[in-house]
Amino acid sequence: MAEISSGGRPSTLQLITVPALITLAITVLRLVGERQGWSRLWFNPDAGGGLAPIGIVWLVPIFGFYFAMKLANSGEAPASAGRVAMFALLGIVVTVIGFVGAFAVSTPGMPLAQLFVGIASILAAVIQRKAWPALFKTLLAYGLAARIPVTIIMFFAIKGHWGTHYDGPPPGFPADITWFPKFILIGVIPQLFFWVAFTVVFGSLFGAIAVAMANRSKHRSAAAQA
């Protein structure tokens, strides 16, 4: 069964504009909170962010669900929600393999480790296109819109030693590396490869859940009317 398309489908830009602005607002709030020393519970400045509640990673499942419903309602439902979920899970496996390989051959954050992670991230994201091209395109655009501002912030944070999670290196990262190579290794590569791929893969997984739930609801309604 091929994907259904419709002339009423919103453009990718229309789909991601409001989510991207919400994401940018949370990014700015996070930066201000860390710089001003607000509660560490909400604005943890440690490297990695310590799973602080104020962060944009938590938006991925929400917007993955949202984009999927918007696309499905405009006539671009996937051929199979199960197939979308299967490819998302495959993407997770590929990413895990990349990280295992990275940690096996080098220190986290160093060039060889980042090469493994970068390649795995690209593969994990690209394979999502086969299951649902419209959602892949939307999530890729949203992922870039979300992560490019973070990358810009990291440029200034690393250069200026701001003491936020935006410039905190991973454990074991050499302290003698100058700021610009550090920016490439812990800023550009993770943000524009791993985190964009994370957005595509996990957004696809929650998109599959959204469509499966919608399909089940339609089937129940059809059965009740029969």
Side-chain angles (χ1 to χ4, degrees), residues 102-122:
F103 294 153
V105 301
S106 184
T107 302
M110 295 305 291
L112 187 57
Q114 297 297 61
L115 177 64
F116 271 73
V117 172
I119 292 173
S121 297
I122 292 170

Side-chain angles (χ1 to χ4, degrees), residues 23 27 30 46-52 55-61 95 99 114 117-122 124-125 138-151 154 165-166 168 170 183-204:
T23 304
T27 296
R30 176 76 181 266
D46 294 341
L51 299 178
I56 63 175
V57 67
W58 313 115
L59 298 177
V60 171
T95 304
F99 270 94
Q114 297 297 61
V117 172
I119 292 173
S121 297
I122 292 170
T138 304
L139 287 168
L140 178 62
Y142 167 70
L144 290 169
R147 291 296 165 176
I148 287 174
V150 177
T151 306
M154 292 184 75
H165 92 279
Y166 294 105
F183 165 65
I184 298 299
L185 291 170
I186 73 169
V188 173
I189 296 174
Q191 292 300 323
L192 300 185
F193 290 90
F194 170 72
W195 284 112
V196 171
F198 176 93
T199 300
V200 172
V201 172
F202 278 89
S204 295

Side-chain angles (χ1 to χ4, degrees), residues 6 13 58 65 67 77 98 101 159 163-164 170 173-174 177 201 209 213 224:
S6 169
L13 181 60
W58 313 115
F65 195 100
F67 293 141
K159 188 175 188 295
T164 66
F173 190 83
I177 292 183
V201 172
I209 293 171
M213 290 173 59

Side-chain angles (χ1 to χ4, degrees), residues 39-105:
S39 170
R40 292 178 64 90
L41 174 65
W42 297 93
F43 303 92
N44 193 328
D46 294 341
L51 299 178
I54 303 298
I56 63 175
V57 67
W58 313 115
L59 298 177
V60 171
I62 295 171
F63 288 136
F65 195 100
Y66 169 79
F67 293 141
M69 294 303 293
K70 283 286 190 179
L71 289 168
N73 289 337
S74 67
E76 294 211 31
S80 165
R83 189 166 185 262
V84 176
M86 180 188 71
F87 273 84
L89 293 173
L90 177 60
I92 293 172
V93 171
V94 169
T95 304
V96 170
I97 292 172
F99 270 94
V100 170
F103 294 153
V105 301

